[in-house]
Amino acid sequence: MSKVLKFGGTSVGSAENMKKVAQIVLQEKATITVLSAMSGTTDALVKISASAKSGDKAQIEELLTMLSDKYTTCIDGLLENSVSEAKAKMNGAFETIRNASANYQDYKSERVIISQGELLTSAIFTMYLKEQGVNAILLNAPDFVVTNEDGKVDTCGLKEKLVQLVSDKNATYVTQGFICTNYKGDIDNLGRGGSDYSAALMGAAIEAKEVQIWTDIDGMHNNDPRFVENTHPIRHMSFDEAAELAYFGAKIIHPATIAPCKEHGIPVLLKNTMDPAAPGTTISNREDNEANSFHAVAAKDGITVIRIHSARMLMAYGFLRKVFEIFEEHKTPIDMITTSEVSVSLTVDNPEHLDKIEKELCELGNIEIERDNSIVCIVGHLDHKDVGLAAKVLDSIKDIPIKMISYGASHRSLAMLINTKDKQHTLQSLNDKLF
């Protein structure tokens, strides 16, 4: 049975953890193992890129020294016969970073710098597997994960190339998550959390029987354990519910991960590297009809609300089309939207083009922009025929100001916009009253 296993940065964050990962890979008989960079690496590389842009050479060297100490400690604690080879690989990666920093070209150089974490971590881990007598083969993900001009992965090309690359049934393949090649032929990435998406795409490409996402948490919880007391793991969840939770802030899985696996009917297991025996969470097409109406809660920060007031909306058609076209032009997705006779309120989580969007929206009416908001999403079996579900939600947070509500678009969720300063109180209240 073919399996794709993905391990996050904490899972490969030390020599000891890498040894645990190797045991899991062998026990699960993974076909492809997808690795993130060692924990803390990507953050450091992002800072190096920023320092290169500003010309701060001293900061670059300070960060490289920190990374050198981190990886040297890992190599010395992990490898026996391949120490020199691994350190040469590390020094080569750091030289690539220095060269890209010295000849910084914004986006292109930044992507080269950031990619080195996954490339180096996967190379070191493959060396360890080989020392353990495993027929381990390192694959270069940018050779087969390629995006088009819109940033979408060419899934047909991925399938064709990857099936050929993993043809040896007796081999254990290791590759990188997150990184890819863009349509210009330059190294790029799929965005933060993109390693999960990489694993899902590879699982779909080889028609895997299972995709496993390994982190340092025992599966998906019914609420965010970082902010809320008395949460509990959910043992089973449908693809649709998981997609809603991931999109609205559940950190354990990347939102894009769900679609490829749902399309191909591949179950996704969320497991804990630190406690492999724990059952974790299984995400599949199976509906859990025995679950409570309220299944889980997630929150998404960094939300900006935009309100458009215009008398031209009254009894008019085509107004919303003009609004949506502006957001489409600037490639900015909308999270929530509510309308009345003469106004429309909507939210976005990407403020990159907000100034240009605001300028164009001003031609349609008066604009009001408000930052520092969060979307709280309650997911479960929220059938439109059920009585009192919305009332229970609102009653549980009756002391919290609510700015927007989205309910009725599906049978899966109820979403609310609140001020971020009220998030923790909101999550705890929902947890106490609904579960």
Side-chain angles (χ1 to χ4, degrees):
M1 183 174 76
S2 59
K3 297 179 182 180
V4 174
L5 275 61
K6 176 264 176 180
F7 293 89
T10 305
S11 296
V12 291
S14 67
E16 193 61 35
N17 285 358
M18 283 197 186
K19 291 176 182 178
K20 292 179 182 177
V21 168
Q23 291 175 354
I24 294 169
V25 167
L26 297 178
Q27 182 176 333
E28 294 290 331
K29 298 179 180 178
T31 306
I32 302 175
T33 299
V34 181
L35 300 183
S36 297
M38 285 181 70
S39 54
T41 303
T42 302
D43 288 339
L45 294 175
V46 169
K47 290 177 182 177
I48 287 174
S49 179
S51 298
K53 189 173 184 179
S54 64
D56 191 344
K57 295 181 181 179
Q59 176 73 355
I60 292 172
E61 288 304 320
E62 182 180 331
L63 289 165
L64 283 175
T65 298
M66 181 274 289
L67 287 175
S68 178
D69 292 343
K70 181 183 184 71
Y71 278 87
T72 298
T73 299
C74 176
I75 290 168
D76 288 341
L78 185 68
L79 302 175
E80 295 180 5
N81 305 321
S82 310
V83 172
S84 297
E85 181 186 356
K87 289 183 177 177
K89 185 75 175 178
M90 177 186 72
N91 292 330
F94 291 165
E95 193 60 31
T96 298
I97 292 169
R98 287 191 178 94
N99 290 336
S101 299
N103 303 284
Y104 196 79
Q105 299 178 33
D106 292 333
Y107 184 93
K108 184 175 180 179
S109 298
E110 178 191 54
R111 273 14 188 196
V112 171
I113 292 169
I114 292 175
S115 69
Q116 299 309 307
E118 276 74 18
L119 291 169
L120 182 54
T121 301
S122 57
I124 293 170
F125 182 74
T126 305
M127 292 177 197
Y128 175 70
L129 287 181
K130 288 181 177 179
E131 284 194 355
Q132 303 309 303
V134 179
N135 180 19
I137 298 174
L138 179 63
L139 302 178
N140 184 48
D143 289 343
F144 52 89
V145 182
V146 181
T147 59
N148 60 23
E149 195 168 354
D150 293 325
K152 305 295 183 184
V153 175
D154 174 11
T155 53
C156 293
L158 169 60
K159 181 179 179 66
E160 182 180 350
K161 294 175 183 176
L162 191 58
V163 168
Q164 293 178 350
L165 288 170
V166 299
S167 58
D168 186 350
K169 302 300 182 183
N170 296 315
T172 298
Y173 295 92
V174 179
T175 192
Q176 311 82 33
F178 178 63
I179 62 175
C180 62
T181 298
N182 63 28
Y183 73 101
K184 295 180 180 179
D186 299 325
I187 197 160
D188 210 323
N189 62 64
L190 301 175
R192 280 300 180 109
S195 292
D196 292 353
Y197 186 39
S198 300
L201 290 169
M202 293 178 203
I206 67 168
E207 299 180 2
K209 300 300 181 184
E210 207 169 79
V211 171
Q212 299 180 7
I213 308 295
W214 290 80
T215 66
D216 56 352
I217 301 174
D218 183 18
M220 182 87 78
H221 278 235
N222 71 308
N223 210 321
D224 194 331
R226 297 172 302 170
F227 302 105
V228 178
E229 296 178 352
N230 301 319
T231 66
H232 62 264
I234 299 172
R235 296 309 176 200
H236 186 271
M237 157 176 302
S238 70
F239 281 123
D240 291 339
E241 287 178 321
E244 292 269 11
L245 288 172
Y247 182 76
F248 284 110
K251 299 297 184 184
I252 194 171
I253 189 169
H254 189 277
T257 307
I258 304 301
C261 294
K262 179 183 178 182
E263 182 180 349
H264 292 82
I266 303 171
V268 178
L269 274 64
L270 308 181
K271 300 279 285 181
N272 186 352
T273 308
M274 311 310 159
D275 186 10
T281 301
T282 299
I283 303 170
S284 71
N285 280 318
R286 184 173 70 83
E287 296 284 348
D288 188 357
N289 295 320
E290 296 180 0
N292 294 328
S293 295
F294 305 110
H295 211 168
V297 178
K300 186 178 186 180
D301 296 333
I303 302 297
T304 300
V305 60
I306 304 165
R307 299 186 179 92
I308 308 158
H309 305 274
S310 176
R312 281 179 280 173
M313 281 187 66
L314 188 62
M315 304 296 288
Y317 59 86
F319 185 87
L320 287 178
R321 174 181 56 80
K322 294 175 184 177
V323 171
F324 290 140
E325 284 176 347
I326 292 171
F327 285 89
E328 181 182 4
E329 178 187 350
H330 296 288
K331 297 182 178 179
T332 302
I334 295 170
D335 291 317
M336 293 175 63
I337 181 168
T338 61
T339 64
S340 67
E341 290 86 347
V342 293
S343 66
V344 55
S345 296
L346 48 85
T347 68
V348 298
D349 63 2
N350 180 4
E352 182 180 358
H353 303 294
L354 197 54
D355 290 342
K356 295 177 182 178
I357 290 172
E358 181 182 6
K359 185 177 180 180
E360 293 185 36
L361 287 175
C362 282
E363 298 178 8
L364 301 180
N366 297 321
I367 308 302
E368 178 186 347
I369 293 180
E370 193 177 318
R371 294 172 172 82
D372 299 322
N373 298 291
S374 297
I375 293 175
V376 175
C377 182
I378 299 96
V379 170
H381 301 294
L382 308 181
D383 195 292
H384 299 159
K385 298 176 184 178
D386 291 342
V387 176
L389 294 181
K392 288 180 181 178
V393 172
L394 296 177
D395 184 63
S396 67
I397 52 170
K398 56 188 176 185
D399 57 339
I400 304 292
I402 300 173
K403 301 180 179 183
M404 288 174 63
I405 297 176
S406 176
Y407 179 47
S410 75
H411 295 281
R412 295 288 176 193
S413 65
L414 185 157
M416 301 173 293
L417 183 75
I418 61 169
N419 195 302
T420 299
K421 67 180 178 61
D422 295 321
K423 182 184 79 169
Q424 184 166 355
H425 180 35
T426 300
L427 293 178
Q428 188 67 60
S429 294
L430 289 169
N431 201 67
D432 294 341
K433 303 289 178 57
L434 299 184
F435 302 104

